Amino acid sequence: MITVRHHAGEYNVVARPLSELFKELPSSSFILTDDSVARAFGRHLPDDLPRWELPAGEGSKNLTHFGRALEWLATAGASRRSTLVALGGGVVGDLAGFVAASYMRGIPYIQIPTTLLAQVDSSVGGKVGVDLPQGKNLAGAFHPPVEVRLCAEALATLPERQFVNGVAEVCKYGFIMDAPLSDRLSTSRLSPASPDLAEVVTRCIQHKADVVERDEFERHGIRATLNFGHTVGHALEQVLGYEELLHGEAISIGMVVEAELGERLGVTPPGTKKAVEACLIQQGLPTHSPVLHKVDPLIVAMRRDKKARDGRLAFSLLTHMGGCKLFDAVDESEVRAAIKGS
Ligand SMILES: NC(=O)c1ccc[n+]([C@@H]2O[C@H](COP(=O)([O-])OP(=O)(O)OC[C@H]3O[C@@H](n4cnc5c(N)ncnc54)[C@H](O)[C@@H]3O)[C@@H](O)[C@H]2O)c1
Ligand SMILES: [Zn+2]
């Protein structure tokens, strides 16, 4: 069990087998999930709890579905004492968390992450929200869950591409703060059948918890270090649209470019990019995209990044394998050169 402390209290991340995943829920609980997850869980879903299903996919993380879910809670009779249960990947977790933050000015919610990405990343840390047509995650709040329930068995039905997508974030923790983890990932491919999967997931959550406890509201340049690979990755997602590359795939390519950038700037030791790239390839992740040739639109997208200030580009860069630091005024010409050199 991992305990995560935040500004208003704390919550536990607890492992549970599938057979006990929905046991001991608060008396007035409401489940928000998506149709693919509901299908995957089938008979394991409790049929005595009110349930709302979003259409699966990033396209549902918007104000329309946010509004519908709020109205469902009101119609179904949820009160200030009710608890929302977010059962699904990061899309469900982010939207349900924002619904919980808003309904009657805030009700408790429990995260039950069912993708690897949601288990190691989005379910912990309290960032919730939805996308706007103008950009991703532009409406949201900080609203920590009251509990996170982890179920390794839930990952068994996850499509392989979605599993590998989550491995990109696992690799990221290795690169930025855990050299033994990146060694482990360089040696053999992580899969739902890996005997050490639960241990790896727990290790990542512990890293995320440590970082968000030190900088919950992303004000001190600590939480932002979790964005290694993300400045370029988000730009790739924006330029390509969100269908072509999954988030983890985009940040995998982004980590290679940003390792190259770090080496160019003399921040990252020579040879690190090669090691990063080899590890990602070992895990079945992409390390290059033809979109990297479209340097101008990528730079425009990076300038819109939430970390960018006064037009200066910000990056979390590796100081060594297993360490990183935020750099908030990187020269555009260096970024262009790093993209071209990747
Ligand atoms: N809040 C945060 O701190 C944070 C951090 C990282 C990412 N995110 C957000 O997370 C989202 C991406 O999350 P994701 O990658 O989990 O995507 P997702 O929620 O869309 O899930 C991916 C797909 O897998 C399906 N699925 C989920 N669990 C399944 C299971 N057990 N079996 C079968 N199918 C299953 C879903 O229905 C969906 O089609 C993005 O919107 C991103 O912005 C948030
Ligand atoms: Zn990410």
Side-chain angles (χ1 to χ4, degrees):
M1 187 177 84
I2 295 169
T3 301
V4 187
R5 279 168 288 273
H6 57 83
H7 69 285
E10 60 181 38
Y11 54 94
N12 293 327
V13 183
V14 283
R16 280 188 178 240
L18 187 52
S19 56
E20 290 175 20
L21 196 53
F22 301 102
K23 292 216 170 119
E24 296 146 3
L25 285 172
S27 59
S28 171
S29 288
F30 293 72
I31 298 184
L32 203 155
T33 186
D34 74 35
D35 50 10
S36 296
V37 174
R39 217 173 309 123
F41 271 71
R43 63 181 174 82
H44 296 289
L45 280 177
D47 46 22
D48 55 336
L49 295 182
R51 184 168 84 231
W52 186 255
E53 293 176 15
L54 305 169
E58 185 72 32
S60 293
K61 208 179 106 173
N62 60 27
L63 289 172
T64 305
H65 286 285
F66 169 73
R68 283 183 194 156
L70 283 170
E71 289 190 28
W72 159 66
L73 281 179
T75 309
S79 76
R80 203 172 257 168
R81 298 234 183 110
S82 300
T83 299
L84 190 59
V85 177
L87 174 72
V91 166
V92 167
D94 281 12
L95 184 132
F98 193 32
V99 166
S102 313
Y103 188 68
M104 296 190 171
R105 298 201 183 83
I107 61 168
Y109 75 110
I110 294 173
Q111 290 272 20
I112 307 187
T114 64
T115 62
L116 180 59
L117 183 135
Q119 293 196 349
V120 299
D121 192 355
S122 61
S123 62
V124 171
K127 274 195 197 174
V128 297
V130 296
D131 304 331
L132 299 184
Q134 290 78 3
K136 253 187 76 101
N137 298 323
L138 286 185
F142 284 96
H143 188 56
V146 292
E147 185 184 342
V148 179
R149 295 189 174 187
L150 269 187
C151 176
E153 293 157 81
L155 300 179
T157 53
L158 196 60
E160 191 190 351
R161 187 176 172 199
Q162 292 290 347
F163 183 87
V164 177
N165 180 49
V167 176
E169 300 283 2
V170 175
C171 291
K172 181 195 75 181
Y173 290 111
F175 301 151
I176 65 171
M177 57 201 298
D178 188 344
L181 176 60
S182 79
D183 287 347
R184 146 72 185 89
L185 294 164
S186 303
T187 320
S188 71
R189 199 159 165 172
L190 196 66
S191 82
S194 299
D196 61 345
L197 177 64
E199 187 192 319
V200 167
V201 168
T202 309
R203 202 164 162 139
C204 293
I205 296 173
Q206 187 66 64
H207 288 318
K208 173 117 190 211
D210 289 346
V211 171
V212 299
E213 278 185 1
R214 287 161 61 210
D215 185 14
E216 185 179 356
F217 300 112
E218 207 165 319
R219 285 180 191 145
H220 310 297
I222 300 169
R223 189 163 182 170
T225 59
L226 292 172
N227 280 325
F228 174 56
H230 282 61
T231 307
V232 171
H234 284 152
L236 283 168
E237 288 181 284
Q238 254 189 55
V239 171
L240 268 174
Y242 291 88
E243 269 87 59
E244 195 151 331
L245 278 181
L246 296 177
H247 174 71
E249 295 167 346
I251 67 146
S252 175
I253 298 163
M255 289 191 282
V256 176
V257 177
E258 294 183 16
E260 165 82 20
L261 177 64
E263 288 193 20
R264 272 180 181 277
L265 295 171
V267 169
T268 305
T272 311
K273 174 194 161 190
K274 262 208 159 120
V276 162
E277 204 168 10
C279 179
L280 295 168
I281 290 170
Q282 168 74 269
Q283 295 302 324
L285 281 156
T287 54
H288 195 272
S289 159
V291 187
L292 290 177
H293 299 302
K294 298 188 183 172
V295 181
D296 287 336
L298 289 173
I299 296 282
V300 170
M302 279 181 229
R303 291 201 169 286
R304 283 202 293 261
D305 190 276
K306 285 204 279 280
K307 293 185 296 313
R309 272 188 222 146
D310 312 325
R312 291 176 310 176
L313 301 174
F315 292 87
S316 166
L317 297 175
L318 300 182
T319 48
H320 54 279
M321 195 52 120
C324 65
K325 197 171 160 228
L326 191 69
F327 292 81
D328 65 1
V330 178
D331 216 40
E332 184 185 308
S333 60
E334 298 286 358
V335 181
R336 285 179 179 273
I339 294 173
K340 286 189 184 132
S342 297

